[in-house]
Amino acid sequence: MKFGTKTIHAGVHPDPATGAIMTPIYQTSTYAQRSPGDHQGYEYSRTHNPTRTALQDALAALENGNYGLCFASGMAAIDAVVKLLKPGDEVISTNDLYGGSYRIFTKIFQQYGIKFTFIPMGDIATVEGHITQNTKMLWLETPTNPLLNIIDIKGAAEIAKKHNILLVVDNTFATPYLQTPLDLGADLVMHSLTKYMGGHSDVVMGALIVKDEDLAQRLAFIQNACGGTPGPQDCFLLLRGLKTLHVRMQRHCENGRAVAEYLQKHPKVEKVLWPGFESHPNHQIAREQMRDFGGMISVVLKGDRQEDAIQVLEKFKYFTLAESLGGVESLCGHPASMTHASIPQAERLKGGLSDSLIRLSVGIEDIEDLLADLEQALG
């Protein structure tokens, strides 16, 4: 199947009991057994639920993986991945990282003896110099949040394979519409499904997708044992959202390009961060591993003053000032005080995240209205 057909049909089937086209919400905690251990594949909904199974199968198909696992949030999915490690193990990650990922790494798992090293990954060849005998995992975001840096997934996979370490790619910003990291050599793909995959700002969920059966079984054990699983109602909403992923992403990309080009020419804008520009340091890699460049854009105003950025954010009408991203509506945010506030200022500045940076999640509204909103907010 082509991608657009996959979003609608892959992993889902008419309900065998009624013929219902949409996967039912199996709102049950437990299942009848004919004899102890003799059941129809379902015994307790923390372990398995038919609505969740359909969603996990659909996600695996979209990412060209073999196994999908869903969690109650993106953070719960990250938590499960790090639980593959043990004290003394090391993780190398990008220094431009979502604040929630940084927080769980440094505030939760570091105290249990897992070491995290954050480095620039624009030149993937430099990563190898940081690998030690204790390094067990590379953790990538690409595009990164919020600086929209691009990391070479294929190059990272070659390094990971050489040193027998796991390569994890957070694919939240791109979605499988734009890139499929497993095809480029990644071992594991992570999503905050809350964002583009759900697409309607009405559900919180995370997912992991893998090809390897042994890795899938290890993660499934953690998923069941630790219990951070989503309910069937949320899984139903995600299945609904996936069916329009391809058409939504097409519009996000179209609007994102128009907004980026408009902002690049605006007299009050110092810098626009968007991988679609030829001036982007890793634009060529983006062209090679992505199908388009997405609807996430970050902006630094001239003068680089936080108060100017906040004033603009307060004046928006259609770009709603709110956490999160990837919904059909346009959102704006101030990472330094919102999504990345958990990262110390010195670390943020060292990674290139200034206090004046504005992050835009460009929605699927009429582009003329979005550009007019930008014009009035920038003054």
Side-chain angles (χ1 to χ4, degrees), residues 92-96 118-131 138 140-142 144 149-159 280-283 285 289:
I92 297 175
S93 183
T94 174
N95 66 338
D96 173 21
F118 303 96
I119 61 172
M121 289 186 172
D123 180 1
I124 201 64
T126 64
V127 172
E128 196 160 15
H130 295 269
I131 293 175
L138 296 182
L140 274 57
E141 286 180 9
T142 180
T144 60
N149 288 315
I150 297 296
I151 299 173
D152 182 355
I153 299 173
K154 188 175 181 180
E158 292 172 356
I159 293 170
H280 188 286
N282 270 358
H283 172 72
I285 292 173
Q289 71 185 26

Side-chain angles (χ1 to χ4, degrees), residues 180-195:
T180 44
L182 295 178
D183 292 337
L184 297 171
D187 298 294
L188 196 159
V189 170
M190 193 285 292
H191 280 281
S192 172
L193 298 175
T194 311
K195 315 305 194 294

Side-chain angles (χ1 to χ4, degrees), residues 5-54:
T5 308
K6 275 187 182 182
T7 62
I8 296 168
H9 294 287
V12 297
H13 309 280
D15 177 51
T18 65
I21 292 296
M22 299 304 296
T23 302
I25 302 170
Y26 286 90
Q27 194 71 53
T28 182
S29 62
T30 192
Y31 306 81
Q33 302 187 23
R34 290 176 288 264
S35 183
D38 181 9
H39 51 74
Q40 300 179 62
Y42 297 93
E43 50 189 324
Y44 189 61
S45 275
R46 170 169 41 79
T47 310
H48 297 293
N49 177 282
T51 316
R52 192 171 90 221
T53 297

Side-chain angles (χ1 to χ4, degrees), residues 40-322:
Q40 300 179 62
Y42 297 93
E43 50 189 324
Y44 189 61
S45 275
R46 170 169 41 79
T47 310
H48 297 293
N49 177 282
T51 316
R52 192 171 90 221
T53 297
L55 174 58
Q56 291 178 158
D57 290 347
L59 293 169
L62 291 178
E63 282 285 4
N64 294 334
N66 296 323
Y67 308 94
L69 302 99
C70 287
F71 296 81
S73 68
M75 298 312 304
I78 294 172
D79 177 80
V81 175
V82 184
K83 283 175 179 170
L84 294 168
L85 305 174
K86 62 183 187 301
D89 289 346
E90 296 178 356
V91 178
I92 297 175
S93 183
T94 174
N95 66 338
D96 173 21
L97 186 70
Y98 167 54
S101 303
Y102 181 90
R103 180 177 57 224
I104 197 171
F105 290 165
T106 60
K107 302 298 184 183
I108 303 296
F109 285 106
Q110 199 157 267
Q111 66 184 334
Y112 300 127
I114 299 173
K115 181 181 177 182
F116 295 88
T117 301
F118 303 96
I119 61 172
M121 289 186 172
D123 180 1
I124 201 64
T126 64
V127 172
E128 196 160 15
H130 295 269
I131 293 175
T132 72
Q133 63 179 3
N134 294 325
T135 305
K136 303 300 180 185
M137 185 180 292
L138 296 182
W139 186 283
L140 274 57
E141 286 180 9
T142 180
T144 60
N145 180 7
L147 299 180
L148 283 303
N149 288 315
I150 297 296
I151 299 173
D152 182 355
I153 299 173
K154 188 175 181 180
E158 292 172 356
I159 293 170
K161 296 288 189 296
K162 178 180 177 182
H163 294 275
N164 193 31
I165 57 181
L166 280 175
L167 173 60
V168 183
V169 178
D170 182 338
N171 205 28
T172 299
F173 268 29
T175 82
Y177 177 86
L178 295 181
Q179 67 187 16
T180 44
L182 295 178
D183 292 337
L184 297 171
D187 298 294
L188 196 159
V189 170
M190 193 285 292
H191 280 281
S192 172
L193 298 175
T194 311
K195 315 305 194 294
Y196 284 109
M197 300 289 270
H200 294 78
S201 302
D202 55 8
V203 62
V204 174
M205 198 186 300
L208 304 173
I209 301 97
V210 301
K211 285 188 174 182
D212 181 73
E213 183 178 6
D214 178 67
L215 180 57
Q217 289 178 350
R218 291 167 63 196
L219 289 166
F221 176 83
I222 295 169
Q223 180 195 42
N224 181 52
C226 297
T229 51
Q233 173 74 31
D234 287 350
C235 293
F236 175 87
L237 290 171
L238 238 300
L239 279 166
R240 179 214 57 185
L242 289 182
K243 291 183 183 296
T244 59
L245 176 64
H246 56 302
V247 290
R248 288 187 286 105
M249 288 303 297
Q250 181 179 358
R251 183 63 169 263
H252 283 300
C253 291
E254 292 171 357
N255 282 358
R257 177 179 293 277
V259 167
E261 291 175 348
Y262 168 82
L263 289 170
Q264 191 180 43
K265 299 172 183 176
H266 198 283
K268 291 191 176 181
V269 171
E270 178 68 32
K271 182 166 53 176
V272 180
L273 307 178
W274 184 63
F277 289 137
E278 291 187 6
S279 58
H280 188 286
N282 270 358
H283 172 72
Q284 188 56 40
I285 292 173
R287 287 182 61 88
E288 292 171 2
Q289 71 185 26
M290 298 175 71
R291 299 174 185 91
D292 207 328
F293 304 108
M296 296 302 301
I297 299 165
S298 289
V299 185
V300 177
L301 303 179
K302 286 183 178 177
D304 198 18
R305 300 194 320 152
Q306 178 172 318
E307 51 267 39
D308 291 341
I310 292 175
Q311 185 179 46
V312 169
L313 289 166
E314 291 175 344
K315 290 173 66 178
F316 277 125
K317 295 179 180 178
Y318 298 130
F319 283 87
T320 302
L321 179 58

